[in-house]
């Protein structure tokens, strides 16, 4: 019984939603008809006469204040809409309308039914979208002390965002810490140093870790089963402390190289010592090799993730994919024909096989990451690459162009070939967010992630270019129109009054004509006749 009642309510709800979705015009005319029929008991004509008399008594100053206030309000809405669009890439009014009004109009039910029918077909593309929106560590990131900090000293700008540095801190904790660090004083200090946000505190902790390792400690070595002999040894230097100092304290590349060599020497000494203590028990071995085991497991997990993300649809190019691979392949093919390439000659005789291969390689690279050509062609200024990148995003384009622009300039005619052919890619994929040509559709999450990875002074490249929302254009037009009306009413009050009356009379002329025709068909005494019945 309960199930039958629930089913009846669901059907009733669906019928109501359907009626509001498709029969809103019928509802509108029914309401108008009822208002007209009830115009006598509701005294609509009298109320309209009273309103018209009140409006005739108003002075032009009222209309100036009215239009000025509406212009001010619409201007404030325009400013807010523009700020929201620049920050989040969408209209606030449109987003609220879709979120709150669409469920009332039945949008959720339709989407849910469509999703249930196509969930199996879209699962692969959803997984691919998630994997392509993943942030990756930039393998060619710069040194903080020798390069990023020097940029800050010269320009006064911070080249790295807090989000980017926080991801690097997590990477450092994964690479250079393990569960047994608390057993070694120097490693325990470094474990806290990698979590420290203040750069000076990290550097001080690294120096403290190096000083602690100067102290001699006892290492228990059981030489005979019935006795124990204590051997005094000097602990090796802390390799991770040298790595941190090379990254953040060194002010030149030469100083960083020197510290990295010391880190390599300390790491080699730790490895030799672990080999000597290997036969003294599994506990000591695990303590010494904990970092290496953690690194090995991370590498294995990384390999499994890459292999899992490479299981793509057959009609798309399989992984590995990156801007470096795609654009380097395009440069290698362009190198064979770029020195003799001429767009005029190619338009007359057509493209040769080698030129066609080069153009196809450029189109493939541009489809994978459409932000790179503007940096290679120097149509947009470069900045220092971030420590993390998003594949197919603006951050990856900056990282590639920063290191490979010189390679494209070194090949004669390569940039000219790129300039003549790269925009042709967009004709093959007119709707990149819905369907791709060689790769999966372009992910919609790149703009948000790039804004968190790139500094605020950099203008993030957006693809595809977003058009201004309707509500921004509407509020801009409304603000301009009301401001103009306020100015004209203030300067020419009498003329604007005559114009307003003529405009309103013209506007309501069709309505008055319809009312007269309806009045001739349905007399005003109809309501009294209905009450008698």
């Amino acid at each position: 019984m309960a199930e039958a009642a629930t089913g009846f309510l669901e059907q009733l709800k669906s019928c109501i939603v359907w009626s509001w979705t498709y029969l809103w015009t019928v509802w509108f005319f029914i309401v108008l008809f009822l208002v007209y029929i009830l115009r006598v008991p509701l005294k609509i004509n009298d109320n309209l006469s009273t309103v018209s008399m009140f409006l005739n008594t108003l002075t032009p100053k009222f209309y100036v204040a009215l239009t000025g206030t509406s212009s001010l309000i619409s201007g404030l809405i325009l400013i807010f809409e523009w700020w929201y669009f620049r920050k989040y890439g969408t209209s606030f009014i449109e987003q609220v309308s879709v979120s709150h009004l669409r469920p009332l109009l039945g949008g959720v039910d339709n989407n849910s039914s469509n999703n249930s029918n196509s969930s199996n077909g879209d699962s692969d593309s959803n997984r691919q979208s998630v994997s392509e929106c993943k942030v990756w560590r930039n393998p060619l990131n710069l040194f903080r002390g020798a390069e990023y900090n020097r940029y800050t000293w010269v320009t006064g700008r911070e080249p790295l965002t807090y989000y980017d540095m926080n991801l690097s801190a997590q990477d450092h904790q994964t690479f250079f810490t393990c569960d047994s660090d608390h057993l070694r004083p120097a490693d325990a200090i470094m474990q806290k140093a990698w979590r420290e946000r203040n750069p000076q505190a990290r550097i001080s902790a690294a120096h403290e870790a190096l000083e602690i390792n100067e102290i001699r400690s006892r290492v228990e070595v059981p030489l005979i089963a019935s006795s124990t002999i204590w051997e005094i040894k000097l602990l090796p230097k802390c390799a991770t402390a040298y790595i941190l100092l090379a990254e953040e304290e060194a002010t030149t590349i030469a100083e960083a190289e020197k510290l990295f060599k010391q880190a390599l020497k300390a790491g080699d000494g730790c490895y030799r010592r672990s080999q000597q203590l290997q036969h003294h028990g599994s506990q000591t071995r695990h303590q010494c090799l904990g970092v290496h085991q953690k690194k090995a497991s991370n590498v294995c997990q990384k390999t499994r993730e890459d292999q899992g993300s490479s299981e793509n649809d057959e009609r798309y190019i399989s992984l590995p994919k990156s801007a470096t691979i795609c654009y380097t392949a395009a440069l290698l093919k362009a190198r064979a024909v770029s020195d003799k390439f001429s767009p005029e000659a190619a338009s007359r005789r057509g493209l040769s096989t080698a030129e066609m291969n080069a153009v196809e390689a450029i189109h493939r690279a541009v489809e994978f990451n459409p932000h790179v050509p503007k940096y290679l062609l120097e149509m947009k200024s470069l900045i220092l690459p971030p420590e993390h990148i998003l594949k197919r995003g603006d951050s990856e384009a900056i990282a590639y162009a920063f290191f490979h622009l010189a390679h494209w300039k070194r090949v004669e005619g390569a940039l000219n070939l790129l300039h003549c052919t790269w925009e042709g890619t967009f004709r093959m994929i007119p709707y990149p967010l819905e369907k791709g040509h060689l790769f999966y559709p372009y992910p919609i999450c790149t703009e948000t992630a790039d804004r968190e990875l790139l500094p605020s002074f950099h203008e993030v490249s957006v693809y595809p270019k977003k058009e201004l929302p309707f509500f921004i254009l509407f509020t801009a037009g409304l603000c301009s129109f009301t401001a103009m009306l306020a100015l004209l009413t203030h300067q020419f009050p009498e003329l604007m009054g005559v114009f307003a009356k003529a405009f309103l009379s013209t506007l309501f002329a069709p309505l008055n004509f319809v009312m007269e025709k309806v009045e001739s068909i349905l007399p005003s005494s109809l309501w009294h006749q209905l009450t008698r019945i």
Side-chain angles (χ1 to χ4, degrees):
M1 187 67 181
E3 294 180 357
T6 304
F8 175 75
L9 291 176
E10 290 294 334
Q11 292 180 357
L12 181 61
K13 180 181 178 182
S14 62
C15 292
I16 295 175
V17 170
W18 180 84
S19 64
W20 276 107
T21 305
Y22 299 102
L23 302 179
W24 61 271
T25 54
V26 177
W27 286 94
F28 179 73
F29 283 111
I30 290 176
V31 171
L32 287 181
F33 179 76
L34 291 177
V35 170
Y36 178 79
I37 294 298
L38 300 175
R39 68 186 187 280
V40 175
L42 294 178
K43 299 180 180 180
I44 295 178
N45 294 330
D46 297 339
N47 294 331
L48 290 177
S49 302
T50 304
V51 171
S52 62
M53 292 178 58
F54 173 75
L55 293 178
N56 291 330
T57 59
L58 295 176
T59 61
K61 293 183 179 180
F62 171 79
Y63 293 102
V64 173
L66 178 64
T67 52
T69 304
S70 60
S71 176
L72 176 62
I73 295 175
S74 58
L76 294 177
I77 296 175
L78 173 62
I79 294 174
F80 175 76
E81 278 283 306
W82 178 256
W83 169 81
Y84 195 87
F85 174 74
R86 294 286 296 177
K87 186 173 183 180
Y88 299 104
T90 185
S91 169
F92 175 78
I93 300 177
E94 181 179 354
Q95 185 179 12
V96 172
S97 302
V98 171
S99 301
H100 297 280
L101 297 182
R102 189 174 183 180
L104 300 178
L105 297 177
V108 174
D109 295 337
N110 295 333
N111 289 339
S112 60
S113 61
N114 294 334
N115 291 336
S116 62
N117 294 331
S118 61
S119 59
N120 295 331
D122 295 341
S123 58
D124 294 336
S125 60
N126 292 336
R127 285 195 297 267
Q128 178 66 17
S129 177
V130 172
S131 64
E132 288 194 341
C133 292
K134 179 182 178 181
V135 176
W136 303 80
R137 181 164 180 83
N138 183 10
L140 297 177
N141 65 304
L142 306 178
F143 296 113
R144 286 193 183 179
E147 291 167 309
Y148 289 122
N149 287 347
R150 291 183 66 181
Y151 178 84
T152 303
W153 298 337
V154 174
T155 63
R157 295 176 172 179
E158 291 291 341
L160 298 177
T161 63
Y162 173 78
Y163 175 72
D164 193 13
M165 291 188 291
N166 187 41
L167 292 177
S168 298
Q170 297 176 12
D171 294 338
H172 294 156
Q173 296 176 40
T174 303
F175 294 153
F176 303 122
T177 62
C178 65
D179 296 336
S180 61
D181 282 345
H182 66 280
L183 301 176
R184 297 175 296 277
D187 290 334
I189 294 176
M190 289 305 302
Q191 191 177 35
K192 297 179 180 179
W194 294 119
R195 300 173 182 173
E196 182 63 46
R197 295 183 178 180
N198 188 359
Q200 295 300 325
R202 289 197 298 269
I203 294 174
S204 301
H207 284 292
E208 183 181 356
L210 292 176
E211 293 175 359
I212 285 182
N213 266 19
E214 296 290 344
I215 304 174
R216 294 177 179 271
S217 63
R218 294 182 176 182
V219 179
E220 186 176 353
V221 182
L223 299 179
I224 306 175
S226 59
S227 63
T228 300
I229 299 178
W230 293 86
E231 181 182 358
I232 303 299
K233 287 193 175 182
L234 184 65
L235 290 176
K237 294 285 187 177
C238 184
T240 55
Y242 283 119
I243 293 175
L244 190 147
L245 294 177
E247 283 279 351
E248 303 193 15
E249 187 181 40
T251 57
T252 61
I253 300 297
E255 294 179 9
E257 182 182 8
K258 182 180 178 181
L259 289 171
F260 277 125
K261 288 182 179 180
Q262 290 179 295
L264 178 62
K265 183 178 179 181
D268 184 66
C270 183
Y271 173 75
R272 294 177 182 275
R273 178 171 173 271
S274 66
Q275 292 297 316
Q276 295 175 0
L277 299 177
Q278 193 171 14
H279 63 282
H280 294 313
S282 59
Q283 181 179 1
T284 306
R285 180 169 67 254
H286 289 164
Q287 292 176 2
C288 298
L289 299 179
V291 176
H292 302 285
Q293 292 175 354
K294 189 70 174 292
K295 288 183 180 180
S297 63
N298 292 334
V299 172
C300 294
Q301 183 179 1
K302 191 81 168 178
T303 305
R304 288 193 297 269
E305 291 178 357
D306 293 340
Q307 291 175 353
S309 59
S310 64
E311 298 174 356
N312 295 336
D313 195 293
E314 292 181 359
R315 64 192 181 96
Y316 296 118
I317 298 174
S318 60
L319 289 176
K321 296 181 303 217
S322 68
T324 303
I325 294 176
C326 294
Y327 278 91
T328 302
L331 178 60
L332 293 176
K333 291 185 178 181
R335 184 175 58 178
V337 298
S338 60
D339 56 339
K340 301 178 181 179
F341 177 79
S342 173
E344 294 80 8
S347 61
R348 290 195 306 267
R349 59 175 172 79
L351 296 175
S352 63
T353 304
E355 290 174 342
M356 184 64 70
N357 293 335
V359 172
E360 289 178 354
I362 291 176
H363 287 175
R364 171 189 171 184
V366 174
E367 181 184 354
F368 180 77
N369 194 318
H371 310 284
V372 175
K374 288 187 177 181
Y375 294 107
L376 293 179
L377 298 174
E378 298 181 286
M379 300 168 62
K380 196 173 182 181
S381 58
L382 268 175
I383 61 173
L384 296 183
E387 294 184 339
H388 290 80
I389 60 175
L390 180 70
K391 287 188 177 182
R392 308 186 74 178
D394 191 28
S395 54
E396 185 192 31
I398 293 173
Y400 173 80
F402 185 85
F403 292 100
H404 295 84
L405 177 59
H407 302 159
W408 282 82
K409 288 184 176 180
R410 194 176 297 120
V411 178
E412 183 181 358
L415 291 176
N416 179 43
L417 179 60
L418 177 66
H419 175 72
C420 296
T421 58
W422 74 280
E423 291 182 339
T425 309
F426 307 127
R427 291 192 291 269
M428 298 185 297
I429 44 175
Y431 303 102
L433 297 179
E434 301 175 5
K435 184 179 180 181
H437 180 60
L438 296 175
F439 297 98
Y440 277 92
Y442 193 78
I444 61 176
C445 60
T446 55
E447 181 184 359
T448 304
D450 281 331
R451 291 188 187 277
E452 294 181 343
L453 290 173
L454 299 174
S456 57
F457 59 83
H458 172 73
E459 183 180 357
V460 177
S461 178
V462 179
Y463 175 79
K465 200 67 177 179
K466 294 184 178 180
E467 299 180 355
L468 288 177
F470 166 76
F471 288 103
I472 290 183
L473 301 176
F474 176 76
T475 52
L478 181 63
C479 177
S480 304
F481 179 70
T482 51
M484 182 183 65
L485 286 181
L487 179 62
L488 293 176
T489 307
H490 178 71
Q491 295 293 331
F492 311 101
E494 296 181 357
L495 181 61
M496 289 300 296
V498 174
F499 175 77
K501 291 180 180 179
F503 175 76
L504 292 176
S505 62
T506 305
L507 182 64
F508 287 103
L511 181 61
N512 293 331
F513 177 78
V514 173
M515 293 290 291
E516 292 177 359
K517 293 296 182 181
V518 174
E519 183 70 24
S520 63
I521 299 174
L522 298 176
S524 59
S525 60
L526 179 62
W527 172 254
H528 298 286
Q529 297 176 3
L530 292 176
T531 54
R532 291 178 182 178
I533 295 175

